[in-house]
Amino acid sequence: MSEEVKKVESAATGGVETQHMVPPCPNGFLYTVQSGDTMYFIAQRFGVSLEALIAANPQVADPNLIYPGQVLCIPAKPSPASCPNGFIYIVQPGDTLNGIASMFGTTVEQILAANPQITNPNLIYPGQRICIPIMPPMHHRRHCFMMHPTHHCPGAMGMGMIDIEKRELLVVARDLPDPRHFGMDHIALMVRYHEMEKFKVVEMMPMAHGMMMCHHMMDGAMGGDPVFLIGAARRFPFFFGPLFLGVVFPIII
């Protein structure tokens, strides 16, 4: 056999051996080529670019020629650069997103929202870095506010609280003028939760020591800062006269 033929056979044998090499894959995972696979379809399946897949497998001399049983490195997709509202978790063998979500008290949807690089929630691999969002504890949301007097009642005072979760409103006021001074017969609270809606009118009930109170259950969701006014009213139907108290912006606690 001539030296030229030996060199050609040696080169061909070396190419086949190179194709059979198991490539290093420090930041990804190994995949065994199945019948009908192409580099393009494998890249699509695992959500990586074709260029990144080819670059991670330099042992593949011709990207258009792969065969069943060949081992390829699937490179890791970009990990989150930061996780300001949580922490980075490194996926362990056997992990699933459901299991990780249960482990850390969050949901798969929250994890996916924090990790846009995960395109297939059923496909995560050991060594992958994912951001675990920390779910803030749920606190009751309450708005407290102070009501200020108008020139109709310079000595009056008022305050109130809204419990968002219970949809409950409580308002207390003191030193309000007698409604009969204004030709009315009741004191009422005007409530508006949305900018364009009409005011709801709720009667204030007398308490001891010149105080009046209104307890009201909200029948709709709040929109922005609500508006509260207290004034003299005539019943059936309610008709408002001069307003006694205005309102300042609520303070969330």
Side-chain angles (χ1 to χ4, degrees):
M1 183 180 293
S2 68
E3 288 298 319
E4 277 305 312
V5 173
K6 287 181 179 178
K7 287 181 180 179
V8 170
E9 288 182 350
S10 176
T13 303
V16 172
E17 288 176 353
T18 301
Q19 292 278 355
H20 277 89
M21 287 175 53
V22 175
C25 200
N27 297 316
F29 61 96
L30 297 175
Y31 171 75
T32 301
V33 177
Q34 306 297 310
S35 179
D37 275 347
T38 66
M39 292 286 268
Y40 175 78
F41 288 140
I42 293 171
Q44 289 289 307
R45 182 183 305 162
F46 293 109
V48 298
S49 69
L50 179 59
E51 293 76 13
L53 181 60
I54 292 173
N57 293 277
Q59 80 284 2
V60 178
D62 184 354
N64 296 312
L65 183 61
I66 59 174
Y67 52 86
Q70 187 174 6
V71 177
L72 299 179
C73 171
I74 309 300
K77 287 180 283 188
S79 297
S82 62
C83 193
N85 298 317
F87 60 93
I88 298 294
Y89 172 75
I90 299 176
V91 176
Q92 304 299 309
D95 274 348
T96 64
L97 280 188
N98 267 317
I100 294 171
S102 297
M103 185 189 312
F104 294 111
T106 183
T107 66
V108 171
E109 290 73 20
Q110 291 286 337
I111 293 178
L112 290 175
N115 295 273
Q117 79 281 3
I118 300 178
T119 55
N120 184 350
N122 297 314
L123 182 62
I124 59 173
Y125 51 85
Q128 186 175 5
R129 293 164 58 85
I130 60 177
C131 173
I132 306 299
I134 297 175
M135 299 293 289
M138 296 299 293
H139 296 292
H140 290 176
R141 291 176 54 214
R142 297 184 178 91
H143 292 243
C144 290
F145 54 89
M146 295 293 294
M147 304 188 77
H148 63 82
T150 67
H151 67 279
H152 293 290
C153 54
M157 297 177 61
M159 63 180 297
M161 182 186 74
I162 303 174
D163 189 313
I164 303 299
E165 184 171 308
K166 295 180 180 179
R167 309 181 71 78
E168 185 176 18
L169 167 66
L170 179 66
V171 176
V172 177
R174 59 176 294 179
D175 298 330
L176 296 172
D178 191 319
R180 290 175 293 181
H181 294 169
F182 304 96
M184 305 292 175
D185 54 12
H186 282 79
I187 302 295
L189 174 73
M190 294 181 69
V191 184
R192 188 179 70 186
Y193 301 111
H194 299 273
E195 184 177 357
M196 302 304 294
E197 76 177 359
K198 294 181 179 180
F199 280 93
K200 297 177 175 63
V201 182
V202 187
E203 186 172 5
M204 298 282 293
M205 305 304 295
M207 299 173 62
H209 308 297
M211 300 185 67
M212 303 196 76
M213 181 188 75
C214 173
H215 180 251
H216 172 60
M217 301 304 295
M218 298 164 55
D219 56 3
M222 280 180 51
D225 290 323
V227 177
F228 308 98
L229 301 167
I230 296 178
R234 186 178 300 121
R235 294 185 67 183
F236 307 122
F238 271 116
F239 173 77
F240 253 76
L243 296 175
F244 295 154
L245 292 180
V247 64
V248 297
F249 290 110
I251 303 172
I252 302 174
I253 61 170

